[in-house]
Amino acid sequence: MDGLHDLGRPGGSHRSRKRVGRGPGSGLGKTAGYGHKGSKARAGHHGPGGSKPHFEGGQMPLHRRLPKRGFTNQNRVEYQVVNLFQLQKLEESEVTPELLLERGLIGHASRPIKVLGSGELNRKVTVSAHKFSKSAREKIEGAGGSVQELG
């Protein structure tokens, strides 16, 4: 043996794929190992508790027994979140949505941005965003920076 590139698998370690439904000579032809009739021979359903999710044997399924709840608010606004510790890592003194997009801190230019107060900010920064949490606003202004809310 010359090296690792020359290794072969040990004898008997690889078994050939089972090819079913390929004629009587194979021993797995016709019924392909499933026997004759019965629920376990059928497509899709393999006996009780098998392979038909949510089917409960004709009993009213759980998702239909339980009442519907709540609704989806059509006017929901989902903000992209940026934290102060992320702004601290930026070198710029003016932070805009365009800069955040360029640096990969937000994913979409068109969606609104909210700045949250997690982390510390120890330099003067002007931040432009759509919303600010109370603690973020206090920390930015406390460090001598300013906050600019976009429409």
Side-chain angles (χ1 to χ4, degrees), residues 36-48:
H36 292 279
K37 300 184 184 174
S39 69
K40 289 185 180 175
R42 311 289 185 206
H45 204 299
H46 302 292

Side-chain angles (χ1 to χ4, degrees), residues 11-127:
S13 68
H14 183 75
R15 180 174 283 166
S16 298
R17 193 165 69 94
K18 185 198 275 191
R19 297 185 70 230
V20 298
R22 293 292 180 271
S26 69
L28 286 168
K30 196 185 168 203
T31 55
Y34 281 98
H36 292 279
K37 300 184 184 174
S39 69
K40 289 185 180 175
R42 311 289 185 206
H45 204 299
H46 302 292
S51 204
K52 249 197 182 174
H54 314 300
F55 185 66
E56 301 183 19
Q59 172 176 303
M60 186 60 68
L62 184 66
H63 67 89
R64 289 185 60 196
R65 290 199 302 266
L66 298 176
K68 295 196 277 187
R69 256 186 81 100
F71 72 104
T72 302
N73 184 0
Q74 297 294 309
N75 302 317
R76 177 182 161 82
V77 178
E78 194 142 345
Y79 289 92
Q80 300 179 93
V81 172
V82 179
N83 275 295
L84 287 186
F85 69 85
Q86 294 171 296
L87 299 183
Q88 176 67 30
K89 292 176 188 169
L90 299 174
E91 302 298 313
E92 283 74 3
S93 59
E94 193 160 326
V95 177
T96 62
E98 292 77 28
L99 177 79
L100 294 172
L101 183 66
E102 189 182 299
R103 296 298 168 84
L105 293 179
I106 59 172
H108 301 271
S110 57
R111 294 186 190 161
I113 300 160
K114 184 165 183 174
V115 179
L116 302 181
S118 182
E120 292 302 320
L121 194 64
N122 47 29
R123 59 189 177 81
K124 191 175 172 182
V125 169
T126 303
V127 185

Side-chain angles (χ1 to χ4, degrees), residues 94-97 113 115 125-132 137 140-141 145-151:
E94 193 160 326
V95 177
T96 62
I113 300 160
V115 179
V125 169
T126 303
V127 185
S128 303
H130 299 86
K131 280 222 167 159
F132 295 86
R137 190 183 293 271
I140 293 168
E141 289 168 351
S146 62
V147 161
Q148 192 177 0
E149 278 201 35
L150 303 171

